Every structure is written in C-alpha cells, then in structure tokens.
Amino acid sequence: MAAVAGAVPVPVPVPVSVSVPGAEAAGPGEEAAGAGPPGPARLARLPLARVKALVKADPDVSLASQEAVFVLARATELFVETIAKDAYVYAQQGKRKTLQRKDLDNAIEAIDEFAFLEGTLD
C-alpha cells in the first residue's frame, strides 16, 4: 500500500493479550498470567479488580472497560516507579536506603513534572 502525501499515521491498537517473550502460557490446571505474583508474565502488578472498584467509586463513572482499567493501573505503576526512583536519589544523598517523606517532598519540589503534587503531602 502506498503512503498518501499529507496523511497522518493512525496508531494500531494492541490487544491486551499480547504474548510476552519468556512468558509461558498457562496449561491445564495452572493459573492465568494475571492471577499469580508479579513476574515477567504479568503485565500489571496492581490488582485490576481494586483499580476498577476505585474507578467505579467516582459517581461520574458508570462503566469502565477492562482496557481502560488496565491502562489506568499501568500508568499508576509507572508513575509510582518514577517518583520512587527520583525520591531514592535524595535518600542516597542522605546515605539511606529507605525512602522517607522528606525524600518525596524533595523530589516533588525539585522536579518540574511533579509540580502538580506540591502541597498534597501537607
């Protein structure tokens, strides 16, 4: 198929049941990839049922698709991972391995992407 000049590429949705290299399919009597502990076969670490319950707790939300719940869970995981890594830098500067609230405060104050969080931990 030839590309049309000025055409905008359209992203192709990826199905949720994408096979992950190194992950094995569940055989008879085995649990599915999302039911076990976090590992290479599990795409989301947060429990999707709990995420869906939180979404549905909003009175403005009546329905939430599994895809939407999965995207919210994954985005939350990435956000927590990012802020934890940035806060860990401040813990290391204090010669500590454990994150403390002051490390999160320092990361929120120093990094522009976290400006929307300023004052939320007060």
Side-chain angles (χ1 to χ4, degrees):
M1 181 183 283
V4 178
V8 177
V10 177
V12 178
V14 178
V16 175
S17 61
V18 174
S19 63
V20 178
E24 298 176 23
E30 294 181 31
E31 292 185 6
R42 189 160 176 191
L43 297 176
R45 287 178 257 176
L46 291 176
L48 298 180
R50 295 259 176 114
V51 173
K52 187 167 190 166
L54 287 170
V55 169
K56 292 190 97 177
D58 184 345
D60 295 334
V61 177
S62 58
L63 293 173
S65 70
Q66 275 303 108
E67 291 84 7
V69 171
F70 173 78
V71 169
L72 282 170
R74 190 68 183 118
T76 302
E77 292 168 9
L78 292 172
F79 172 76
V80 170
E81 181 181 339
T82 301
I83 196 167
K85 284 181 180 179
D86 291 335
Y88 187 66
V89 171
Y90 292 97
Q92 286 179 320
Q93 288 175 357
K95 300 188 189 315
R96 291 178 282 106
K97 292 184 179 180
T98 304
L99 288 181
Q100 296 178 354
R101 180 184 167 148
K102 62 183 174 182
D103 302 320
L104 289 169
D105 287 335
N106 289 337
I108 290 169
E109 187 177 314
I111 299 169
D112 292 337
E113 287 84 10
F114 301 137
F116 73 96
L117 293 171
E118 288 181 5
T120 57
L121 294 179
D122 295 334

